[in-house]
Amino acid sequence: MSISSQEICILPNKNNLALLQTNGMPGNLFSNCSNLPATPTRLERLLRERELRKYSKCLNDCEAELPSSTQDCFSPDLETSTCWFNDEELLETVSASRSLNDDGERLDFRTSKQRLLVVANRLPVSAVRHGEDSWQLEMSVGGLVTALLGVKEFDTRWIGWAGVNVPDEIGQKALAKALDEKLMQRCIPVFLDEEVVHQYYNGYCNNILWPLFHYIGLPQEDRLATTRSFQSQFDAYKKANQLFADVVNEHYEEGDVVWCHDYHLMFLPKCLKERNSKMKVGWFLHTPFPSSEIHRMLPSRLELLRSVLAADLVGFHTYDYARHFVSACTRILGLEGTPEGVEDQGKLTRIAAFPVGIDSERFIKALELPEVQDHMKVLKQRFAGRKVMLGVDRLDMIKGIPQKILAFEKFLEENPNWRNKVVLLQIAVPTRTDVPEYQKLTSQVHEIVGRINGRFGSLTAVPIHHLDRSLDFHELCALYAVTDVALVTSLRDGMNLVSYEYVACQESKKGVLILSEFAGAAQSLGAGAILVNPWNVTEVASSIGYALNMPADEREKRHHHNFKHVISHTAQEWASTFVSELNVTIVEAQLRTRQIPPPLPIEVAVDRYSCSNNRLLILGFNATLTEPVDTLGRKDSQINEWQPKLRPDLREPLRKLCDDPKTTVLVLSGSARNVLDDNFSDYNLWLAAENGMFLRVTTGDWMTTMPENLSMEWVDSVKNVFEYFTDRTPRSQFEVRETSLIWNYKYSDVEFGRLQARDLLQHLWTGPISNASLDVVQGRRSVEVRSVAVTKSAAIDRILGEIVHNKGMKEPIDYVLCIGHFLTKDEDIYTFFEPELPSEVPASVRPQVPTQVRTSIVGSRAALLMKQNSTTAVEQNKSYAIDGDTLHSMVTDRISLQEGSSVLDLQANDYFSCSVARKRSNSRYRLQSSDEVVTLLRELADHR
C-alpha cells in the first residue's frame, strides 16, 4: 500500500499518522533504528524516508495559516528573503502530531527534527567590523546558501570562516555574539589567522586544488616556486581543517549529522572520524572531480583521497564526477570499487551523485513583483525589435566567456541579416581581481568585445553589451524573463545553476538554452537544451542560429522538459535527499558493523598468555609478519613482494617467544618452503609451507602432510593458461608451487587486470579444470588453483599431532593464539579451535562469553580427518625436492586417537583468533595492520 501525494497533503490528523505507521514508517526513522523492519532493502528505506519528507512538507505548508508569532526568522536587518523557521510552536498547534511507534510508545513529531551541522569554508554571511566590538552582518548569495537556508525539516547550524581576520579575542567574542543575536545561534564562526588564510585559502585551495579540479593543471608560470611552497601550503590546509574540526567537536551533540562541503575541507572527514568514529559525516564536492590521470599529479593525492573516504557518504553533482573519484581510489589507492562505493578492509564509503537545484519557487514568484515587472518593461522597450541573448558568468577562466564572444562574432560574420536584429548581453561578475591571470582574462575579454562592437556596431546600437558587475536579484530575474536565448559556454563547471535560473524565469517566453556539454547541468537539462562543445566556435555559432530560428512548438517542448525538472529537483530536495541518504547509509553501516570482529583486547590476551603453561602461537606470514609493501607498485614494492621479508622490528620479540619453553610457535603460510627457510631458519619454531602441506621444525627436515591420493596431473595445463595471461597482462606474474599455482595481477592496471582475471577464469572452467577436483580461490587481485584437500584447516590437525609427538608433550595446550591475513577459503582455521558455545549465542559476543567447561578439540573435531588419512602428519616413504636437494625420507610413528584427544584443554577465554587487516572475517577479533601485530608480540615476549 502506498500513499499518494494528495493523501499526504491533507491537514495532518491522527488517522493520517496512523496510516504512516501502518506503512512501517516510525515517527523518527533514524532516532530509533530498532523500529526498522528486520530486513528492509536500501530502496525501501529511501522510499520510506521520502514519504516522511512529504509529510514534513505538509506540516511546513501549514505555516501560512498560523500567526506570524509562530515563526522565528532571521533578523530583518539581513538583506535576504530566505528564512529559517522554528516549527516548535507550529507543531504544538497541530493536534495530530503524536502517534505510536512499533513498541506502543508515544512519538512526538516536535522532537523529530534532526540537527544538521553544515560545515563550509565560508559562513552564509559577510562580516564588516565597526570599532572594537561592533560588527555589521550581510547575507551572502550563492547556490549552497540558498539550498540549505531553505531546508526547514532539519535543525540547521552553519560552521564556517567569517571571511575576515579577527586576531584579537575581544573582536572574536563580539563577532560570535553578533552572530548569536542576529542569527539565533545558527552560525558558528571559525577563526583563522592571516598566515593560515593566505597559505590555506589563497594558496592550496585556489592555487592548487581549484585549477586541478577544473582540468587547468598545477601552476605553470613558476613551477619551482610552486614546488617549494607546496608543502607549507598543504600543512596550512591540514591545520585549517583541524581548526574546523575543533569547532565541530565543540558544538557536536550525539545524533547530529555533519555535512562537510567542497574542496576546502577534504581533510575534515578524517579529522572528525579520528575524534569520534560514530559521528555521521557526509562530504559533498561542488566542483568537478577530475579523472584519475589528472588527480594523480597532485603530490598529496593519497592523503586527500583517504581523508575523504573517512566520510560515510561522499556526494557529487554528476555520475561522471563520482565515477572519476572511484577510479582515483582504485588506481591511486589500490582499493576496491563497487557499484555502491569504495571498500577498504570491510569499510564501505558510499559514493553517489546528487545534482543540486535552485529555489525555483523564489524565482517564479519574483516575476510577479512590481519592481521586477518594471525592470522587464524597461528592458523590452530598450531592446524592442531585437532578439536578446544572455550570458551570466563570473569573470573566470573556466566560464568560456572569450569562446562565447568569438562564437557570437562568427555567427554575425556568417549571418549578416541578423546583425541589427540580435544583441548579446554579457554579465561578467569580477572575481579575484588581484590575481594576474584574472587581470589578463579581463583585458582579453574587453579587447574582444571592443573589436566586435567596432566591427558590427553603429552610432545607435552595438551587438554586445558587456557589464563587469553583478546585478541585484530583481534585475536578474527581469533579464532572465525577457531573454530569447541563454548561452552557457563553460569550459568546465561543477553544475552551473544559471541555466536553472533561466529556465525557472521562462515559463512565459519559453526561450532556448544553449548549454556547454562540460557543465554538470548538461546531464540534467541536456534533453531540453542545445548541447555544444564551447571549444568548437563553429558549432556554437551554428547553434546560435538554430536557437534564434527555432519553431515555437519545439521551443515549448524543450522548455517544458527543462521546466519540469527545475521545479521538481530543487535545492531543498537536494539537501533533504543527501541527508536522508546519509542516514540510511549509517543504518546499513551499523548492520555491517555487527558482522565485523571487535578489536583484539591486547591486555586481556597478554594476561591470559602469562597465566597459561603450554601455549601455541599460530602466525600467518604474508601481511602479518612481513614488511609493509606499497600496494601501488611504486619504488621496488613489486620486487619486495616477490621476496617477502620478516619485519626487522619483529626479530627480537619473535626470538624471545621461540626460546620460551612454554611456547610453541608455528608459522603457517601459503608461501613456498624456500621463502620460509630464508626468513626463519635461525629461529626455534615450526614452519608449515604451502598451506600446511609441508612441515618442519627449523632444527629438522621438511616432511609432507599431503593426503596419499592427492593428484597433481592438472598442473601443466593450468600453468599454460597462467603463462598465456601473464604475457598478455603487463606487470602480472604467476608462481608455481608444489601444491598450487597462483596468478597475481596486483600491480597491473586495475580495470584491465580485472577483465583479464574474468577471461582467465572462463578459460579455466571450460578447459583444464572442468572435470578436476580442484579449488579456484579468488583473492583480492589473484587467482589460485589448488587441490580440494589443500587448505590450512585441513592440515592443522595433522600438523598439531606432529608437533605434540615431536615435542613429547605431556601437558595439554591451554592457550592458543591464531593470527593471520588469510584468504576466506582458509578462514575456517579460526573455528577449528573454537570451544563449543551455545548455538543461540551470536558470534559477535562469543569472545565475551566465559565458560568453565573445558573442551577437547582434537578428539571431537579432528578425529574424522585422522581416520581418513590413517596418519597424523607425515606420509611414509615419500621424497620431495627443493632447490635440487633431496628431502630425507621420513617415517614417523602414528599418534593414537587417544593421544590426540588430550593435546588441547582450552577455556573459551584462552583462545584468541585474530584477522589482520580484514574486517570481514570468521575470527573472534581483528588487528588493523601488521604494526599492531608487532605491538602484540612485543607484549607477549615481555610477559613470558
Side-chain angles (χ1 to χ4, degrees):
M1 176 178 173
S2 61
I3 305 175
S4 68
S5 59
Q6 291 180 343
E7 291 173 322
I8 291 183
C9 288
I10 300 174
L11 184 65
N13 56 47
K14 293 183 178 180
N15 293 331
N16 294 340
L17 287 173
L19 181 59
L20 286 171
Q21 295 301 318
T22 58
N23 280 270
M25 287 180 284
N28 187 349
L29 177 62
F30 301 108
S31 64
N32 187 3
C33 296
S34 62
N35 291 335
L36 288 172
T39 56
T41 66
R42 179 174 183 78
L43 181 60
E44 288 172 343
R45 291 191 186 101
L46 292 173
L47 288 176
R48 182 182 306 149
E49 178 65 10
R50 186 168 180 265
E51 296 296 338
L52 283 174
R53 289 206 306 273
K54 288 182 179 179
Y55 178 79
S56 178
K57 184 177 184 300
C58 291
L59 293 180
N60 291 328
D61 290 342
C62 296
E63 291 170 350
E65 303 176 11
L66 296 175
S68 59
S69 60
T70 64
Q71 301 178 357
D72 193 1
C73 304
F74 272 120
S75 168
D77 294 341
L78 298 179
E79 298 178 359
T80 176
S81 61
T82 305
C83 297
W84 269 313
F85 290 93
N86 186 337
D87 289 337
E88 298 296 326
E89 296 177 348
L90 164 67
L91 291 175
E92 287 181 352
T93 65
V94 182
S95 60
S97 63
R98 311 179 72 89
S99 185
L100 299 176
N101 65 10
D102 294 342
D103 297 326
E105 298 176 347
R106 303 295 289 182
L107 286 174
D108 194 340
F109 275 79
R110 291 175 297 175
T111 63
S112 64
K113 272 196 173 184
Q114 188 173 26
R115 283 216 338 166
L116 175 63
L117 302 184
V118 176
V119 191
N121 177 60
R122 294 289 295 270
L123 289 173
V125 295
S126 298
V128 179
R129 190 169 187 173
H130 296 284
E132 188 178 49
D133 58 355
S134 177
W135 290 87
Q136 178 184 348
L137 305 179
E138 293 184 359
M139 203 65 194
S140 302
V141 295
L144 180 60
V145 175
T146 303
L148 295 176
L149 295 190
V151 179
K152 305 170 188 176
E153 62 191 89
F154 303 109
D155 182 10
T156 308
R157 303 288 191 276
W158 198 303
I159 298 174
W161 176 48
V164 291
N165 180 32
V166 191
D168 58 300
E169 186 176 351
I170 296 177
Q172 293 180 3
K173 290 182 177 179
L175 177 57
K177 181 179 179 181
L179 290 170
D180 287 347
E181 293 175 351
K182 298 282 187 180
L183 307 179
M184 306 175 305
Q185 300 180 343
R186 300 289 182 176
C187 288
I188 303 166
V190 177
F191 296 106
L192 306 175
D193 62 56
E194 189 173 356
E195 179 60 23
V196 170
V197 170
H198 175 69
Q199 295 265 34
Y200 147 72
Y201 182 69
N202 298 326
Y204 195 78
C205 291
N206 289 340
N207 200 40
I208 302 295
L209 291 182
W210 188 90
L212 193 75
F213 282 13
H214 289 85
Y215 290 77
I216 297 174
L218 297 177
Q220 299 294 315
E221 292 191 1
D222 189 352
R223 298 184 184 182
L224 184 59
T226 300
T227 302
R228 284 198 302 262
S229 62
F230 175 84
Q231 189 58 47
S232 63
Q233 291 180 0
F234 185 54
D235 290 342
Y237 181 84
K238 292 190 289 186
K239 180 180 179 180
N241 276 245
Q242 185 61 55
L243 291 173
F244 276 86
D246 293 341
V247 175
V248 173
N249 290 324
E250 181 182 348
H251 293 84
Y252 175 80
E253 298 177 4
E254 186 176 356
D256 288 355
V257 170
V258 182
W259 192 1
C260 312
H261 287 270
D262 229 357
Y263 58 92
H264 311 88
L265 301 175
M266 294 181 73
F267 217 75
L268 184 57
K270 178 182 177 181
C271 297
L272 296 175
K273 285 290 189 175
E274 286 178 347
R275 179 74 173 268
N276 184 352
S277 61
K278 296 183 179 180
M279 188 181 292
K280 301 176 183 179
V281 179
W283 182 80
F284 191 89
L285 182 65
H286 293 268
T287 69
F289 192 89
S291 70
S292 59
E293 291 303 308
I294 298 293
H295 185 76
R296 72 191 314 160
M297 293 191 299
L298 190 64
S300 56
R301 57 192 180 178
L302 300 177
E303 291 181 87
L304 288 181
L305 288 176
R306 288 205 175 275
S307 299
V308 171
L309 287 176
D312 300 291
L313 175 64
V314 176
F316 300 89
H317 282 309
T318 72
Y319 171 74
D320 282 346
Y321 306 156
R323 177 171 53 85
H324 289 162
F325 180 80
V326 173
S327 176
C329 293
T330 302
R331 295 176 181 275
I332 297 175
L333 295 180
L335 301 179
E336 194 69 28
T338 70
E340 296 180 331
V342 177
E343 187 170 356
D344 182 12
Q345 299 180 9
K347 178 190 181 298
L348 177 67
T349 300
R350 188 168 298 282
I351 314 297
F354 303 90
V356 72
I358 63 171
D359 186 358
S360 56
E361 188 175 355
R362 178 174 178 239
F363 283 86
I364 294 172
K365 289 183 176 180
L367 298 179
E368 302 173 1
L369 298 176
E371 50 264 54
V372 175
Q373 291 289 330
D374 292 341
H375 284 303
M376 290 173 59
K377 183 177 180 180
V378 172
L379 290 171
K380 289 178 180 179
Q381 292 175 351
R382 175 67 179 82
F383 300 111
R386 306 173 75 181
K387 293 285 187 178
V388 177
M389 297 178 59
L390 176 64
V392 179
D393 308 278
R394 290 196 326 270
L395 192 50
D396 203 319
M397 57 190 68
I398 66 164
K399 295 299 183 178
I401 296 176
Q403 287 79 2
K404 179 191 306 183
I405 298 174
L406 291 175
F408 184 62
E409 179 185 29
K410 187 169 185 61
F411 169 75
L412 295 178
E413 288 177 353
E414 297 177 349
N415 300 272
N417 57 311
W418 275 101
R419 290 178 183 174
N420 295 319
K421 299 179 182 179
V422 63
V423 59
L424 172 62
L425 308 181
Q426 177 61 54
I427 310 300
V429 182
T431 180
R432 302 187 68 185
T433 54
D434 56 335
V435 178
E437 290 84 354
Y438 286 79
Q439 295 171 354
K440 182 178 179 181
L441 175 65
T442 302
S443 299
Q444 183 185 35
V445 171
H446 290 172
E447 179 184 345
I448 299 174
V449 170
R451 176 170 55 80
I452 296 175
N453 283 340
R455 181 181 177 188
F456 297 106
S458 64
L459 292 175
T460 57
V462 290
I464 300 178
H465 289 246
H466 180 89
L467 294 180
D468 281 333
R469 68 177 183 87
S470 60
L471 301 179
D472 67 35
F473 177 69
H474 296 148
E475 288 179 314
L476 186 61
C477 289
L479 194 53
Y480 282 143
V482 301
T483 297
D484 297 283
V485 178
L487 196 53
V488 178
T489 56
S490 303
L491 305 180
R492 190 73 61 173
D493 221 342
M495 196 65 184
N496 194 295
L497 296 179
V498 167
S499 54
Y500 278 65
E501 295 171 358
Y502 171 71
V503 170
C505 295
Q506 280 286 313
E507 182 61 10
S508 175
K509 195 156 193 173
K510 297 177 175 54
V512 181
L513 173 63
I514 298 177
L515 181 60
S516 167
E517 63 188 55
F518 300 117
Q523 294 196 13
S524 303
L525 304 180
I530 300 176
L531 297 183
V532 295
N533 177 0
W535 294 100
N536 189 338
V537 175
T538 303
E539 178 188 356
V540 178
S542 176
S543 298
I544 292 174
Y546 183 75
L548 292 173
N549 293 289
M550 184 179 292
D553 59 339
E554 183 179 350
R555 288 204 316 270
E556 185 171 354
K557 289 179 182 178
R558 286 177 177 268
H559 171 76
H560 176 74
H561 181 278
N562 285 345
F563 187 76
K564 183 178 179 181
H565 179 88
V566 168
I567 62 174
S568 59
H569 294 76
T570 63
Q572 293 78 16
E573 181 67 19
W574 164 76
S576 300
T577 301
F578 184 93
V579 177
S580 298
E581 184 94 8
L582 177 57
N583 279 317
V584 172
T585 298
I586 295 297
V587 172
E588 294 178 343
Q590 291 171 347
L591 295 176
R592 285 193 301 270
T593 301
R594 298 174 187 174
Q595 305 170 359
I596 297 176
L600 175 68
I602 293 181
E603 292 183 2
V604 175
V606 172
D607 180 66
R608 300 305 302 173
Y609 174 86
S610 60
C611 295
S612 58
N613 295 313
N614 191 7
R615 310 130 174 176
L616 175 63
L617 307 185
I618 302 175
L619 308 176
F621 181 49
N622 290 311
T624 304
L625 305 179
T626 56
E627 294 179 330
V629 176
D630 182 3
T631 58
L632 300 180
R634 287 185 288 273
K635 301 179 182 177
D636 56 349
S637 58
Q638 187 170 2
I639 304 300
N640 287 340
E641 186 160 313
W642 291 344
Q643 301 173 344
K645 297 294 184 182
L646 176 68
R647 291 182 59 136
D649 49 2
L650 272 174
R651 292 170 184 167
E652 182 180 353
L654 184 60
R655 190 175 302 279
K656 289 182 179 179
L657 292 171
C658 292
D659 293 341
D660 182 4
K662 293 183 178 181
T663 303
T664 302
V665 180
L666 167 67
V667 176
L668 180 59
S669 173
S671 299
R673 290 176 285 179
N674 62 321
V675 174
L676 298 186
D677 282 337
D678 292 342
N679 285 277
F680 300 101
S681 58
D682 295 334
Y683 297 86
N684 181 25
L685 48 69
W686 287 79
L687 301 176
E690 300 205 19
N691 298 301
M693 293 299 102
F694 298 98
L695 177 70
R696 85 173 178 106
V697 64
T698 49
T699 57
D701 297 316
W702 283 103
M703 61 191 79
T704 179
T705 65
M706 287 189 295
E708 293 180 351
N709 58 349
L710 188 65
S711 173
M712 302 296 291
E713 296 178 354
W714 51 270
V715 171
D716 289 338
S717 57
V718 173
K719 179 181 177 181
N720 291 334
V721 175
F722 280 10
E723 286 179 340
Y724 174 72
F725 279 91
T726 300
D727 292 339
R728 291 180 56 192
T729 312
R731 298 193 69 183
S732 68
Q733 64 193 54
F734 78 95
E735 181 181 357
V736 179
R737 298 175 182 171
E738 296 184 57
T739 58
S740 64
L741 280 81
I742 300 177
W743 182 68
N744 190 310
Y745 59 96
K746 180 177 182 178
Y747 297 100
S748 303
D749 179 86
V750 176
E751 298 298 331
F752 184 63
R754 187 180 293 119
L755 292 174
Q756 291 292 83
R758 185 174 62 185
D759 198 9
L760 179 144
L761 289 172
Q762 292 177 348
H763 278 73
L764 289 177
W765 287 120
T766 59
I769 66 173
S770 56
N771 297 315
S773 181
L774 300 173
D775 274 334
V776 177
V777 183
Q778 296 185 54
R780 186 178 173 189
R781 290 181 189 167
S782 65
V783 177
E784 180 178 1
V785 179
R786 62 192 187 193
S787 297
V788 172
V790 180
T791 64
K792 292 179 174 67
S793 59
I796 191 63
D797 68 312
R798 300 190 291 272
I799 294 173
L800 185 60
E802 181 60 31
I803 291 175
V804 172
H805 176 74
N806 181 277
K807 298 188 71 171
M809 286 185 182
K810 301 301 182 182
E811 188 174 1
I813 295 173
D814 58 356
Y815 179 93
V816 175
L817 173 66
C818 182
I819 305 176
H821 181 83
F822 300 133
L823 296 173
T824 304
K825 175 73 177 178
D826 297 319
E827 282 212 334
D828 49 358
I829 189 176
Y830 293 136
T831 58
F832 179 86
F833 295 96
E834 193 72 54
E836 300 294 342
L837 295 177
S839 59
E840 66 272 10
V841 178
S844 60
V845 299
R846 283 192 175 187
Q848 288 74 38
V849 179
T851 177
Q852 299 300 321
V853 180
R854 294 180 178 270
T855 58
S856 180
I857 305 301
V858 171
S860 60
R861 189 168 295 179
L864 178 60
L865 290 173
M866 293 173 69
K867 289 179 181 179
Q868 289 176 340
N869 295 297
S870 72
T871 179
T872 58
V874 184
E875 297 298 329
Q876 301 181 14
N877 300 323
K878 293 283 183 178
S879 296
Y880 294 87
I882 173 172
D883 297 333
D885 296 331
T886 304
L887 290 173
H888 295 287
S889 297
M890 302 296 300
V891 180
T892 62
D893 297 331
R894 298 180 182 180
I895 298 178
S896 67
L897 180 60
Q898 288 73 23
E899 289 175 318
S901 301
S902 62
V903 298
L904 288 177
D905 191 10
L906 285 177
Q907 292 188 20
N909 53 4
D910 285 324
Y911 174 55
F912 297 86
S913 59
C914 191
S915 59
V916 179
R918 286 188 185 276
K919 289 191 175 181
R920 294 182 180 179
S921 173
N922 294 326
S923 63
R924 286 186 171 195
Y925 303 101
R926 63 181 170 88
L927 292 172
Q928 293 285 9
S929 66
S930 61
D931 292 336
E932 294 189 3
V933 177
V934 175
T935 302
L936 172 62
L937 295 186
R938 282 177 175 170
E939 291 289 328
L940 294 177
D942 293 339
H943 290 77
R944 293 179 292 169

